[in-house]
Amino acid sequence: MKRIVMGLFATVAGLGVGGAGAWGVLHFAPQLVTGHAKKPGKGPTEFVPPVEVLAPLVFADGRLSGYETFEIQLEVPQGTTEEVGAKLPLLMNAVNLRTYRTPMASGPDGMLPGLDAFRKVVMDAALEVYGKDAVRSVAVTKASPG
């Protein structure tokens, strides 16, 4: 009888310790379980008014395919729209310095833009101009041949 009670006690204690450990990992280190870290600076956001960007479409071998006009909006923390808007010329310059080196042309005639590549170019430029966590995301709202 004493062996059965000790076995049950050990099982219950093991489940308790294991459950507490699992809860601790999920609570304090969720990126270990899900593979995604919590985004820093969560809170209300807003979008900067749309901005048009004329960008060259370049093939992977460096040849110019044509030009594309993109309309973008930047998602920023609430209350920073004016600060981000004041530096938009610097952002456009940083985007222009990157687009001719980034192959974005796709399709048989090279006139289809790669939106993911363009979004990455804008995010990299925003990191350089505004710093970390100033721009949360980039929305490409329109793309048309330039």
Side-chain angles (χ1 to χ4, degrees):
M1 181 78 168
K2 191 175 181 181
R3 282 186 156 175
I4 293 174
V5 171
M6 288 301 282
L8 287 174
F9 177 73
T11 302
V12 171
L15 287 172
V17 169
W23 177 84
V25 168
L26 283 173
H27 189 269
F28 294 109
Q31 70 272 13
L32 294 176
V33 177
T34 62
H36 301 291
K38 290 182 180 178
K39 291 193 175 187
K42 285 193 174 193
T45 61
E46 57 190 4
F47 284 91
V48 175
V51 178
E52 283 197 359
V53 180
L54 180 66
L57 293 180
V58 179
F59 287 108
D61 62 0
R63 290 182 300 127
L64 179 66
S65 165
Y67 289 89
E68 191 82 14
T69 301
F70 296 96
E71 186 177 271
I72 62 169
Q73 285 187 294
L74 306 174
E75 183 182 15
V76 297
Q78 194 169 24
T80 61
T81 305
E82 290 181 16
E83 178 184 324
V84 170
K87 291 184 180 179
L88 277 175
L90 296 174
L91 177 68
M92 296 302 107
N93 181 51
V95 168
N96 284 334
L97 291 175
R98 286 172 170 76
T99 52
Y100 78 92
R101 291 181 281 166
T102 306
M104 291 190 298
S106 60
D109 60 352
M111 291 306 293
L112 294 174
L115 296 181
D116 289 334
F118 183 70
R119 219 177 269 115
K120 183 176 178 352
V121 164
V122 174
M123 282 301 292
D124 290 345
L127 180 64
E128 176 187 314
V129 172
Y130 299 114
K132 188 176 181 184
D133 297 330
V135 176
R136 300 238 177 110
S137 68
V138 175
V140 180
T141 56
K142 185 169 97 175
S144 58

